[in-house]
Amino acid sequence: MTLLKSWVASANTADTDFPLNNLPYGVFSTPDDDGARCGVAIGDMILDMAAMEEFGLVDLTGGPVFDVPFWNDVMDLGPAAWAALRARLTALLAEGSADQSLVEPHLVGRDTATLHMPFAVSEYTDFYAGMQHAKNMGAILRGSPDLPANWLHIPIGYNGRASSVVVSGTDIRRPLGQTKAPDAQMPSFGPTKRLDIELELGAIVGTGSTLGQPVSVAQADAMIFGYVLLNDWSARDIQGWEYQPLGPFQGKAFGTSISPWIVTAAALEDFRTSTPDREVDLLPYLNEEKPGLYDIHLEVLMQPENADTPTSLSKTNYSRMYYSAAQQLCHHSIGGCEMNGGDLLGSGTISGPTKSEYGSLMELSWATREPFTLNNGDQRGFIEDGDTLTLRGHAQGNGFKIGFGDCVGKILPALDTPFAD
Ligand code: MN
């Protein structure tokens, strides 16, 4: 597919994240208006969907749905409504649209807007579907890259926290917690010394399922509304002490950042790519009928407070994953667990086969044994206070990008004391 031309000039460049081909969904506010509401990114602008609905330019059966600070009401309407909305927006914003003069007053400059969480997160589940990441973590933590015995058969995951999922731009406070050094007799309490990122893609469930009724991989694929970049902030020392035998808890609970725009599954459709060849066959319920991954280029950048420019730490691709979001969603439901609109599924850390493609600092510094150097000469094993971490991602079309917008988080120092008066 080639670039679809829009009458919004800034949407017609090869390097914008938001050409007409994309049309991602977010929530925004401006200083002089009456609250956060739904918007669609187009070039340097945001289309005010609450205004579009108010003036009758967009009318979804079951509306109004856009004058609220979340896209969950649209998700509830289901795939037919999602397709109708995308078709309507594409027609309204296309070059030559007869409605340009009616739509133009409802565009807001993106640089004047504050972006908010694009949807209400029902629940958050995080997976572990990157093979290279799993092998690296085994090598670092257990001295062997051998995968856990279940890994080639199960998309492993844990139930995370929806309450601490935040939108890009939200500062993250270094968490306090309990750790134990290998040679210490007793655990100790204090700020994490091993604060890390995980480069992930988040899949957003649009329509739910029924308690007691599993969904197939094909059904799961149709239930997914869209995707965001996801940074699963991790405190490795807290995690390392707490995680056996029940898995991550406080080491992962303090914050998860997502990019502000939901890139729809429809916008990514032309970029589908297959999961890799299997070393062993999956159990049949996990087989997928159509390619479930996407060719999405990803990058991690780090910028200390005293540096003028960020340093690119890693570049990889979502196609490296072993399990697709649809396979993960199917597996999530297979025992009868009900899934809901607004459920967020983290892909698991995305790491490619070489160091330049690793998606966590744990891997990039090999747990501080091989510190890496930033543009300003600073060395890092993990994150220091004041560091800003950015995830970027896009699918590359012929002369256009389907971009996600940056997923940014800056680290604040830990609290001096844990409890408020
Ligand atoms: Mn993770």
Side-chain angles (χ1 to χ4, degrees):
M1 185 187 269
T2 54
L3 174 76
L4 298 176
K5 284 269 186 76
S6 170
W7 51 262
V8 179
S10 58
N12 295 332
T13 65
D15 62 342
T16 180
D17 271 350
F18 310 123
L20 184 57
N21 308 62
N22 192 347
L23 298 177
Y25 302 150
V27 167
F28 76 103
S29 61
T30 49
D32 55 351
D33 64 39
D34 41 53
R37 56 207 185 274
C38 292
V40 177
I42 177 78
D44 294 341
M45 312 298 281
I46 298 171
L47 184 62
D48 183 337
M49 291 301 293
M52 291 288 286
E53 188 172 58
E54 186 183 335
F55 285 85
L57 291 161
V58 171
D59 184 14
L60 289 183
T61 309
V65 288
F66 298 114
D67 59 342
V68 287
F70 44 78
W71 279 78
N72 300 61
D73 288 353
V74 176
M75 295 183 207
D76 283 345
L77 298 177
W82 308 345
L85 173 61
R86 182 169 172 80
R88 176 70 178 152
L89 290 170
T90 302
L92 287 171
L93 291 165
E95 195 174 62
S97 167
D99 295 315
Q100 177 177 344
S101 62
L102 298 175
V103 175
E104 210 157 15
H106 307 305
L107 289 173
V108 175
R110 194 150 44 82
D111 58 354
T112 68
T114 300
L115 299 177
H116 306 269
M117 277 292 292
F119 67 107
V121 182
S122 302
E123 299 192 60
Y124 165 48
T125 307
D126 193 38
F127 287 88
Y128 193 58
M131 183 185 285
Q132 187 65 47
H133 174 71
K135 287 181 174 178
N136 287 345
M137 295 305 263
I140 293 168
L141 296 173
R142 295 180 291 278
S144 163
D146 292 347
L147 294 166
N150 54 10
W151 201 91
L152 294 172
H153 306 279
I154 298 176
I156 301 174
Y158 66 94
N159 289 303
R161 293 293 301 175
S163 63
S164 52
V165 179
V166 296
V167 73
S168 173
T170 308
D171 294 338
I172 301 291
R173 188 168 293 286
R174 180 180 297 274
L176 300 169
Q178 196 178 126
T179 59
K180 190 177 106 38
D183 53 354
Q185 282 289 323
M186 289 283 290
S188 58
F189 181 81
T192 175
K193 295 186 181 75
R194 293 194 156 200
L195 183 53
D196 199 355
I197 58 151
E198 290 190 338
L199 169 64
E200 303 193 24
L201 201 68
I204 299 161
V205 177
T207 55
S209 65
T210 305
L211 182 64
Q213 177 60 62
V215 295
S216 69
V217 173
Q219 289 167 334
D221 189 77
M223 288 163 61
I224 295 172
F225 183 64
Y227 293 84
V228 288
L229 303 176
L230 185 149
N231 184 350
D232 176 28
W233 301 96
S234 300
R236 300 295 181 195
D237 43 1
I238 295 172
Q239 185 185 352
W241 171 228
E242 76 185 358
Y243 85 112
Q244 296 192 47
L246 289 184
F249 190 43
Q250 293 307 293
K252 299 277 195 174
F254 59 95
T256 304
S257 299
I258 63 169
S259 52
W261 298 102
I262 302 170
V263 175
T264 61
L268 292 168
E269 184 61 29
D270 289 346
F271 301 93
R272 281 185 181 270
T273 181
S274 296
T275 47
D277 291 339
R278 303 290 165 183
E279 296 182 19
V280 294
D281 287 342
L282 294 173
L283 293 175
Y285 78 94
L286 282 172
N287 286 331
E288 55 185 10
E289 290 161 22
K290 61 177 174 180
L293 297 177
Y294 299 95
D295 180 2
I296 299 171
H297 301 270
L298 299 163
E299 184 176 16
V300 179
L301 303 105
M302 183 182 222
Q303 184 167 1
E305 238 163 7
N306 64 357
D308 297 328
T309 55
T311 301
S312 177
L313 299 181
S314 170
K315 288 184 180 177
T316 186
N317 195 294
Y318 177 58
S319 62
R320 298 292 193 194
M321 302 311 273
Y322 196 77
Y323 295 102
S324 69
Q327 288 172 318
Q328 292 170 330
L329 180 52
C330 165
H331 182 71
H332 207 320
S333 78
I334 207 67
C337 174
E338 178 181 331
M339 304 304 297
N340 292 299
D343 275 348
L344 176 64
L345 309 184
S347 60
T349 308
I350 304 164
S351 289
T354 62
K355 192 163 191 166
S356 63
E357 290 196 39
Y358 291 173
S360 72
L361 307 188
M362 182 82 161
E363 294 162 89
L364 285 165
S365 75
W366 215 252
T368 73
R369 279 166 250 172
E370 301 168 19
F372 52 87
T373 305
L374 304 177
N375 289 343
N376 69 345
D378 280 10
Q379 287 212 321
R380 287 288 185 280
F382 288 100
I383 303 171
E384 296 189 5
D385 292 345
D387 288 350
T388 296
L389 277 295
T390 299
L391 309 184
R392 281 192 189 139
H394 72 276
Q396 183 62 56
N398 182 11
F400 70 94
K401 297 197 301 187
I402 301 291
F404 283 76
D406 289 357
C407 178
V408 183
K410 180 179 179 179
I411 297 301
L412 303 179
L415 296 171
D416 291 330
T417 58
F419 305 117
D421 290 335

